[in-house]
């Protein structure tokens, strides 16, 4: 009887100790896991500085988003295989044609920095040509949805865009059609 009580007590103590150890481990693991999930996540909300993008052009040249500081920049995420993107491209072309030569109050101009989520270089180049995307800042790492820039900017659907001011601060997001014009008109000399 004494042996049974001693064995039962010992078993209970071991189980309690194991349970406490597991809870401590599990809570610490969850805390570390949640911290690790946020490593590298950058703020891409309006008012935040835009994270750097450094990717390759179709010609194999590295292009950096930061090289356009001093201008208003539309960072445009799209892909050749994306129907809604291709339908939006005429509006983006129109915006480029209108604002690339415009005079801005406190900026050296306007530029588009296109980030493709393609994984087929030929399809990407063909879509640039077909859609008349005449600006020179086209980049992609050809990783599709695994694109480093898409991850950094938390892009989960396309088309998606971010308008940056001359200091590289995000001033608007996901502008479509006429809304691109309305937003850019705020910064042009002579508009209110």
């Amino acid at each position: 009887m004494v042996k049974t009580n001693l064995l039962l007590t010992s078993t209970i103590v071991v189980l309690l100790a194991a349970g406490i150890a597991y809870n401590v481990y599990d809570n610490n693991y969850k805390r570390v896991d949640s911290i690790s999930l946020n490593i590298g996540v950058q703020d891409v909300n309006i008012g935040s500085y835009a994270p750097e993008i450094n990717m390759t052009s179709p010609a194999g040249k590295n292009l950096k988003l930061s090289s356009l500081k001093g201008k208003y920049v539309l960072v445009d995420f799209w892909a050749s295989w994306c129907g809604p993107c291709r339908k939006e491209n005429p509006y983006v072309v129109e915006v480029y044609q209108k604002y690339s030569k415009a005079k801005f109050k406190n900026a050296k101009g306007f530029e588009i920095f296109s980030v493709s989520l393609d994984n087929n270089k030929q399809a990407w180049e063909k879509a640039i040509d077909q859609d008349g995307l005449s600006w020179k800042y086209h980049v992609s790492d050809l990783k599709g949805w695994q694109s480093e820039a898409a991850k950094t900017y938390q892009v989960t659907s396309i088309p998606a865009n971010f308008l940056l001011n001359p200091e590289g601060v995000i001033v608007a997001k996901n502008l479509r059609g006429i809304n691109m014009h309305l937003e850019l008109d705020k910064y042009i000399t002579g508009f209110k």
Side-chain angles (χ1 to χ4, degrees):
M1 179 91 167
V2 172
K3 276 188 171 181
T4 306
N5 283 341
L6 184 58
L7 185 59
L8 184 60
T9 304
S10 298
T11 303
I12 291 171
V13 168
V14 168
L15 288 174
L16 283 172
I20 291 168
Y22 175 78
N23 281 335
V24 168
Y25 167 80
D26 191 46
N27 288 336
N28 284 335
Y29 177 76
K30 286 177 184 171
R31 188 175 61 80
V32 169
D33 192 40
S34 68
I35 291 168
S36 67
L37 288 175
N38 292 323
I39 292 174
V41 173
Q42 298 185 34
D43 189 359
V44 290
N45 293 311
I46 293 172
S48 302
Y49 282 95
E52 177 70 280
I53 299 174
N54 183 2
M55 289 186 163
T56 308
S57 73
K61 182 179 177 186
N62 273 0
L63 300 176
K64 287 184 171 185
L65 176 60
S66 60
S67 71
L68 298 174
K69 274 202 175 165
K71 296 182 177 189
Y72 281 92
V73 179
L74 184 70
V75 180
D76 186 43
F77 288 86
W78 74 292
S80 66
W81 47 262
C82 169
C85 300
R86 302 295 294 273
K87 287 179 182 175
E88 186 69 18
N89 276 346
Y91 299 107
V92 179
V93 169
E94 183 181 299
V95 162
Y96 181 71
Q97 290 171 346
K98 178 178 178 182
Y99 296 98
S100 65
K101 295 178 177 77
K103 294 198 186 283
F104 288 83
K105 294 174 188 171
N106 297 313
K108 298 175 189 171
F110 171 76
E111 191 59 69
I112 296 177
F113 194 89
S114 289
V115 182
S116 171
L117 300 190
D118 275 286
N119 52 23
N120 179 313
K121 185 179 179 189
Q122 290 74 30
W124 173 37
E125 291 174 318
K126 185 177 179 182
I128 291 170
D129 185 52
Q130 284 179 338
D131 293 3
L133 310 182
S134 60
W135 48 93
K136 61 183 179 178
Y137 295 94
H138 292 276
V139 297
S140 182
D141 54 13
L142 297 173
K143 293 181 180 178
W145 281 111
Q146 299 308 310
S147 165
E148 294 304 319
K151 289 179 188 176
T152 300
Y153 277 76
Q154 302 166 35
V155 172
T156 57
S157 65
I158 52 177
N161 62 44
F162 299 79
L163 181 62
L164 315 182
N165 73 10
E167 290 78 38
V169 174
I170 299 168
V171 294
K173 292 168 66 170
N174 295 319
L175 299 168
R176 299 279 177 271
I178 191 68
N179 290 325
M180 285 188 273
H181 294 271
L182 294 173
E183 186 65 31
L184 283 163
D185 283 347
K186 295 177 186 177
Y187 309 109
I188 291 187
T189 303
F191 282 80
K192 294 185 179 181

